[in-house]
Amino acid sequence: MEIGKVYTFKLNSGEEMIAKVMDTDPGNNHVTIQDPVIVAPGPQGMGLVPSMFTADPDKNPRLNMNCVAISALTDESVRMKYIEATTGIKVPEKKI
C-alpha cells in the first residue's frame, strides 16, 4: 500500500470502507488511516457516511488488516467524492 493514497477496503463484515492510508505496520498487520467513511445507501443513491462518530478527529485510527477481505485503490470518481466529503474541497472534473 502506498502512503497518502485513498483505498477502498471490503471488510469481513461486508461493509465497504474508504480511507486515506497514512502509515503501514506490516509486522502487526495494521494500517493507520485517516477520515474513514463507509459506503451506505441513501435517498439519492450511495453515499459516504463517517465510520466513527465518537473518535478524536485529530487522531488517526488503525485498521486491523485481518478484518479486511480485499482492498484496492479507490476509483477516481469515488475518490473525488471522498475528498469533497472529508475536506469540503470540491475537485473539478477533468475535461478534455
Side-chain angles (χ1 to χ4, degrees):
M1 286 199 174
E2 292 183 59
I3 295 178
K5 300 274 184 171
V6 177
Y7 283 85
T8 299
F9 302 94
K10 183 72 167 186
L11 306 179
N12 293 337
S13 64
E15 294 174 303
E16 197 166 303
M17 175 188 285
I18 300 172
K20 183 185 229 182
V21 172
M22 302 307 290
D23 195 15
T24 60
D25 186 0
N28 288 323
N29 210 24
H30 285 88
V31 175
T32 302
I33 57 175
Q34 182 179 40
D35 299 322
V37 297
I38 296 293
V39 179
Q44 282 86 29
M46 298 306 276
L48 304 178
V49 178
S51 62
M52 300 177 74
F53 292 100
T54 60
D56 183 343
D58 296 326
K59 306 276 186 199
N60 292 331
R62 292 186 335 149
L63 176 62
N64 183 342
M65 292 303 286
N66 290 327
C67 298
V68 176
I70 190 170
S71 64
L73 283 169
T74 303
D75 177 73
E76 185 176 352
S77 63
V78 176
R79 183 170 51 86
M80 295 304 151
K81 293 295 183 187
Y82 168 81
I83 291 169
E84 185 178 341
T86 58
T87 67
I89 298 170
K90 184 160 178 71
V91 181
E93 291 184 34
K94 292 182 181 177
K95 294 183 181 179
I96 298 177

